Amino acid sequence: MAIIRKQPKRGFWTRLRRLPRAWIGIALVLVVIAAAIFAPLVTGIDPLTQFRDGLSATGTPLPPDARFLLGTDHLGRDMFSRMLYGARISLLISLTVNISAAIIGTAVGLVAGYYAGILDNLLMRVTDILLAFPAILLALGFGAVLRPSIPTVIIILVFITWAPLARLVRAQVLTVRERPFIESARAIGCRDRYILVRQILPQIITVVVVWGTLSFASTILVESSLSFLGVGVPLPTASWGNMIAEGQTRYRIAPWTIIAPTIGIIVTTLGFNLLGDALRDALDPRTKYKV
C-alpha cells in the first residue's frame, strides 16, 4: 500500500527566499540604507565643504580620482560625500511620507469601505479629485506656492500619495466585510472599532505592506523631480535631484556630476521595486505553487 505524504505548506519566508528578485532587491536596498546611515564614517567629508583644490586651473570640476572617488562639482565639493548624504535625504523623506500616507490612506479606506453610504461617497469623491490630477503636476503646483523646504516636500508628497492607497484599501474592505467571520463578530455585539482594527485590518495589512514598499520608489522619483525643478529640497542641502540640476549645465565637461546621482536614483528605485514585487508574490497565497 502506497503511503501518500502530505506536502508541507510553504510559508511566507520560504516563498520569499525562492525568488531571485527578492535577494537582488534586498541587497540593493541594504546597500543604499547602509550608505545613508554610515555616511559620516564612510566619507568623513562634509558635503558642503568647498575645497580650494577641488577645481582645475580653469575652474572646472575635477574628474574622479583617488582622492575624490566620484569627482567634484562646480563648487569644488566632493561628489561622493554629497551622494551619500543625498541618500539620507531621499530615504528620510520617503520613509516619513510613506508611513504618514499609509496611516491616512488605510484609515480613510477602512472607514469608507466599512460604513459605505454617504460617508463612503464623500471620502471617495475627495480621493477621486486627487487622483484626477497627475501627481507630479499637483506636486509642482503646491511646490510653486509654498516655500521650498524638506517639511514642505514631505507635506506635498503625503498629500498626493495617500489617495491611491485609500482606494486600494477600500476595495479590499468591501470584500472582507462580507465574510462570515465579520458577520459573526457583528452578531455577538462586537463594536465597529474592534471589527475594523482586530478583524479587518489584519486581513488587508499585506496589501499596505506591498504598497508601501513599491511606493518608496515612486516617492523618491517625485522628490528628485521636485528638487530638480527647484521646488523640492533647497540648496545647498544635498539631494540627488538638485545635484542633477546643478550638473546639467556642465554635463559636457563634467558628466560625472549627472551620472552619479542618476545611478543612485536608478539603483534605489530598482531595489525597492524588485523587493515590493517579490513581497507581493510571496504574500499572495495564489502564487505559492508558482515559486
Side-chain angles (χ1 to χ4, degrees):
M1 181 178 179
I3 299 176
I4 300 176
R5 295 183 179 179
K6 185 178 181 180
Q7 294 292 334
K9 293 183 178 180
R10 295 178 181 177
F12 164 72
W13 294 111
T14 302
R15 296 195 296 269
L16 184 64
R17 67 170 178 260
R18 289 175 178 267
L19 296 170
R21 59 184 179 277
W23 292 103
I24 299 174
I26 291 172
L28 294 177
V29 170
L30 288 179
V31 167
V32 175
I33 292 176
I37 294 176
F38 300 107
L41 300 177
V42 174
T43 177
I45 300 175
D46 190 322
L48 301 181
T49 301
Q50 301 180 24
F51 292 92
R52 293 179 179 272
D53 55 350
L55 297 173
S56 67
T58 58
T60 58
L62 296 179
D65 57 21
R67 182 185 178 191
F68 302 109
L69 297 180
L70 295 178
T72 61
D73 65 2
H74 66 292
L75 295 178
R77 296 173 297 192
D78 181 48
M79 283 291 295
F80 182 63
S81 175
R82 292 183 65 77
M83 276 288 297
L84 297 184
Y85 280 88
R88 274 188 166 189
I89 295 297
S90 294
L91 292 179
L92 175 63
I93 291 177
S94 295
L95 180 64
T96 306
V97 167
N98 283 282
I99 290 177
S100 303
I103 294 173
I104 297 173
T106 302
V108 172
L110 280 172
V111 172
Y114 184 76
Y115 290 104
I118 297 177
L119 184 59
D120 178 30
N121 288 330
L122 177 62
L123 293 175
M124 286 302 101
R125 296 300 76 77
V126 174
T127 302
D128 289 340
I129 292 174
L130 293 177
L131 293 175
F133 294 93
I136 187 64
L137 293 181
L138 193 61
L140 281 173
F142 282 104
V145 174
L146 302 175
R147 181 180 178 181
S149 65
I150 293 178
T152 299
V153 173
I154 292 174
I155 293 173
I156 292 173
L157 293 178
V158 170
F159 187 77
I160 67 174
T161 303
W162 68 265
L165 177 61
R167 173 69 69 178
L168 182 61
V169 169
R170 173 184 175 271
Q172 296 293 318
V173 174
L174 288 175
T175 302
V176 174
R177 72 173 187 174
E178 302 299 331
R179 293 182 181 175
F181 67 91
I182 299 296
E183 297 290 342
S184 301
R186 289 174 182 158
I188 63 176
C190 292
R191 295 183 178 181
D192 291 344
R193 179 180 175 183
Y194 175 86
I195 295 175
L196 285 170
V197 176
R198 300 295 296 275
Q199 300 291 327
I200 296 180
L201 183 59
Q203 299 294 320
I204 64 170
I205 195 64
T206 56
V207 174
V208 179
V209 170
V210 173
W211 172 89
T213 307
L214 292 172
S215 182
F216 253 90
S218 60
T219 303
I220 289 174
L221 286 175
V222 176
E223 178 273 318
S224 299
S225 300
L226 294 178
S227 299
F228 174 81
L229 296 171
V231 293
V233 178
L235 294 171
T237 303
S239 168
W240 289 338
N242 60 33
M243 288 172 65
I244 296 175
E246 288 184 310
Q248 67 174 340
T249 58
R250 301 169 182 82
Y251 74 94
R252 291 183 181 274
I253 59 175
W256 56 87
T257 58
I258 291 181
I259 294 174
T262 300
I263 291 177
I265 294 173
I266 292 174
V267 169
T268 306
T269 54
L270 177 62
F272 279 107
N273 275 326
L274 289 175
L275 180 57
D277 187 62
L279 284 175
R280 180 184 59 194
D281 288 347
L283 289 168
D284 188 354
R286 292 172 296 181
T287 63
K288 65 181 179 180
Y289 297 110
K290 299 178 183 179
V291 295

